[in-house]
């Protein structure tokens, strides 16, 4: 009988410690509970008083002039796109490697999505794959700070400026991430994001939008926040957040037809979570950096994080991933590597990330407007649909991206065991090839 180091081949497991609550998220205390109960007991769920306080807290934290709450991140992105002028026959540029909500709102506006590839190290939109996609009807570039990693804003902003195109930051993975010392979401024209229960800033089904641009802000208010255009409402006092008279005429109705009021149980939880968030993500960053520092010299797996000393950070490190490099392990597949890591006791080691969007049928065939043509070409002669083989980094993510634990506390004795599991599999990769 041959002896093997790897648990998958009968060796002992790398993990022996109980992880305890190291992965538990969000951290909910009595402070959250009493804030939510206060709203619940007075029946304030459909008000806007707590939401407005949350918006004030949020814009103060982000350092933006405006913040606007949403029932989810998808709606904040839809409003951001419309406010940036995306309409029928227009185009947006969006990475293919992201969650669908970064892109699909454009279809609902009658616009097409011209997908760009991801950069293999940052996993964010590749700045070198943007400019040649810009056409006469391109209105916005969506930058997703993917899995917490800031996109390359210094490369992207000048391209957008040169072509008069707006930049929408999707911050759903990156609340609190810094790009060279600046908050992600405050660098482009508008930042929009999810705050749903699975995200790093997790407050329920919710979203928020931030901007310094009054025109964008007012357009977002008029689009779906019908009570905030000077209207009298059943639930909330009259409001005068819109100064643009061309928008004021729609007072009392959402001109987009959408209702974008945020649920106040989420706003209440949001205020409490936000108070603790900056300190909690510093702890996450310490833990995750500890894990990756332990794997610095290990072949086959590389940290997904900005260079130390760059002033950029991973925020709350949402959807923690590693970069898998099979060629450094003699071609060992990502799937086999991950299976062996799981056998060491690491529960959540999966492969890949979001499936590429550009090959999905919605972006090829869905006809939302009943024109008899797919929405992508309903209002335009320019067909920007792309088939398989066009965006290789996004299409190959199943081979090049591997899951890693998302630690919420910096507990060295536990983190060291997780790192040892990855190290062990990489260092014994030759046992897995047969
Ligand atoms: C979660 C997510 C969204 C959508 O937000 P919801 O709150 O689920 O509507 C948008 N973009 C990205 C990148 C996301 O991960």
């Amino acid at each position: 009988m041959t002896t093997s180091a790897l648990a998958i081949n009968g060796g002992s497991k790398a993990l022996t410690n109980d992880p305890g609550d190291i992965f538990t998220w969000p951290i909910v205390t009595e402070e959250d509970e009493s804030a939510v109960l206060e709203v619940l007991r007075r029946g304030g769920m459909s008000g806007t008083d707590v939401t407005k306080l949350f918006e004030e807290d949020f814009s103060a934290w982000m350092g933006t002039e405006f913040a606007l709450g949403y029932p989810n991140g998808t709606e904040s992105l839809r409003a951001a796109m419309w406010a940036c002028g995306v309409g029928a026959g227009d185009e947006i540029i969006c990475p293919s490697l992201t969650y669908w909500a970064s892109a699909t709102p454009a279809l609902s506006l009658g616009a097409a999505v011209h997908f760009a590839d991801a950069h293999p190290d940052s996993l964010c939109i590749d700045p070198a794959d943007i400019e040649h996609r810009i056409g006469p009807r391109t209105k916005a570039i969506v930058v997703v700070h993917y899995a917490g990693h800031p996109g390359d804003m210094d490369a992207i902003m000048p391209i957008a400026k040169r072509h008069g195109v707006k930049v929408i930051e999707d911050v759903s993975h990156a609340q609190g991430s810094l790009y060279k010392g600046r908050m992600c979401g405050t660098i482009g024209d508008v930042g929009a994001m999810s705050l749903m229960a699975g995200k790093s800033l997790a407050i329920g089904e919710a979203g928020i939008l931030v901007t310094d641009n009054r025109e964008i802000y007012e357009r977002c208010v008029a689009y779906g926040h019908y009570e905030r255009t000077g209207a009298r409402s059943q639930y909330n006092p009259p409001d005068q957040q819109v100064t643009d008279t061309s928008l004021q005429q729609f007072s009392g109705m959402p001109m987009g037809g959408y209702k974008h009021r945020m649920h106040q149980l989420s706003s209440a939880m949001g205020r409490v979570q936000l108070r603790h968030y900056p300190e909690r993500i510093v702890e996450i960053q310490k833990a995750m950096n500890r894990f990756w520092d332990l794997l610095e010299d290990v072949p086959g797996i590389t940290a997904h994080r900005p260079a130390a000393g760059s002033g950029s950070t991973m925020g709350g490190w949402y959807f923690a991933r590693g970069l898998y490099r099979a060629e450094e392990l003699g071609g060992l597949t990502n799937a086999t590597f991950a299976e062996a890591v799981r056998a060491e006791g690491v529960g959540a080691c999966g492969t890949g990330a979001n499936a590429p969007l550009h090959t999905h049928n919605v972006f090829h065939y869905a006809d939302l407007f009943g024109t008899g043509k797919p929405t992508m070409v309903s209002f335009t002669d320019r067909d920007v649909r792309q088939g398989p083989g066009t965006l290789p980094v996004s299409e190959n993510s199943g081979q090049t991206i591997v899951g890693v634990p998302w630690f919420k506390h910096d507990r060295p004795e536990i983190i060291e065991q997780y790192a040892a599991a990855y190290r062990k599999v990489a260092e014994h990769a030759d046992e897995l090839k047969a």
Side-chain angles (χ1 to χ4, degrees), residues 299-352:
I301 178 163
T302 302
H304 177 233
R305 60 176 172 180
S310 60
S312 298
T313 73
M314 296 290 283
W317 225 296
Y318 172 76
F319 196 53
R321 303 284 100 177
L323 308 173
Y324 183 72
R325 301 294 180 244
E327 63 278 11
E328 295 174 12
L329 297 178
L332 179 70
T333 67
N334 195 6
T336 307
F337 177 85
E339 192 188 351
V341 171
R342 285 195 297 274
E344 297 297 332
V346 178
C349 182
T351 61

Side-chain angles (χ1 to χ4, degrees), residues 343-420:
E344 297 297 332
V346 178
C349 182
T351 61
N354 291 105
L357 298 178
H358 67 284
T359 49
H360 194 283
N361 284 342
V362 160
F363 296 102
H364 286 262
Y365 307 118
D367 173 9
L368 298 185
F369 294 88
T371 63
K373 286 196 245 171
T375 306
M376 288 280 283
V377 290
S378 279
F379 307 104
T380 177
D381 293 330
R382 196 165 112 105
D383 187 350
V384 296
R385 290 177 292 179
Q386 296 170 84
T390 51
L391 301 177
V393 177
S394 307
E395 289 171 46
N396 292 337
S397 70
Q399 279 73 56
T400 57
I401 300 176
V402 67
V404 295
W406 182 17
F407 302 110
K408 312 305 190 306
H409 303 278
D410 185 28
R411 298 188 182 134
E413 66 292 352
I414 294 172
I415 294 168
E416 279 158 18
Q417 287 206 336
Y418 278 89

Side-chain angles (χ1 to χ4, degrees), residues 72-74 77 98-99 101-102 144 170 172-173 194 196 199 206:
N72 56 59
T74 306
L77 285 156
T98 181
Y99 184 67
S102 308
V144 184
D170 182 343
S172 302
H173 296 186
S194 174
M196 56 78 79
K199 296 288 176 7

Side-chain angles (χ1 to χ4, degrees), residues 251-264:
S251 173
M253 282 212 196
M255 64 181 288
Y258 292 100
K259 181 182 166 185
H260 280 166
R261 190 167 60 210
M262 183 174 182
H263 198 304
Q264 292 217 114

Side-chain angles (χ1 to χ4, degrees), residues 156-203:
I156 296 163
M157 293 308 293
I159 299 171
K161 290 231 162 69
R162 214 158 39 240
H163 294 273
V165 169
K166 295 273 197 291
V167 172
I168 298 169
E169 297 178 71
D170 182 343
V171 199
S172 302
H173 296 186
Q175 300 88 355
S177 289
L178 298 177
Y179 173 73
K180 299 185 184 175
R182 301 167 71 188
M183 283 283 235
C184 285
T186 68
I187 302 163
D189 296 277
V190 54
M193 71 202 81
S194 174
L195 304 173
M196 56 78 79
K199 296 288 176 7
S200 163
L201 183 51
I203 68 169

Side-chain angles (χ1 to χ4, degrees), residues 46-208:
S46 291
T48 53
D49 54 333
V50 186
T51 297
K52 286 179 181 173
L53 293 172
F54 176 56
E55 289 166 352
E56 275 175 30
D57 296 347
F58 203 84
S59 58
W61 175 59
M62 293 287 279
T64 56
E65 195 156 345
F66 306 105
L68 199 52
Y70 280 86
N72 56 59
T74 306
E75 289 310 307
S76 70
L77 285 156
R78 192 190 321 282
M81 288 181 199
W82 183 79
C84 285
V86 178
D90 291 332
E91 292 168 20
I92 66 160
I93 294 173
C94 179
S96 180
L97 183 69
T98 181
Y99 184 67
W100 54 259
S102 308
T104 50
L107 295 180
S108 73
L109 296 166
V113 184
H114 200 163
F115 287 105
D117 213 349
H119 189 281
D121 298 331
S122 71
L123 306 181
C124 301
I125 192 167
D126 185 346
D129 198 36
I130 294 175
E131 194 158 22
H132 66 104
R133 301 186 187 279
I134 296 178
R137 302 287 304 264
T138 305
K139 292 287 164 61
I141 300 165
V142 176
V143 177
V144 184
H145 303 291
Y146 196 77
H149 196 300
D152 190 354
M153 300 305 286
D154 279 353
I156 296 163
M157 293 308 293
I159 299 171
K161 290 231 162 69
R162 214 158 39 240
H163 294 273
V165 169
K166 295 273 197 291
V167 172
I168 298 169
E169 297 178 71
D170 182 343
V171 199
S172 302
H173 296 186
Q175 300 88 355
S177 289
L178 298 177
Y179 173 73
K180 299 185 184 175
R182 301 167 71 188
M183 283 283 235
C184 285
T186 68
I187 302 163
D189 296 277
V190 54
M193 71 202 81
S194 174
L195 304 173
M196 56 78 79
K199 296 288 176 7
S200 163
L201 183 51
I203 68 169
E205 281 295 295
I208 200 160

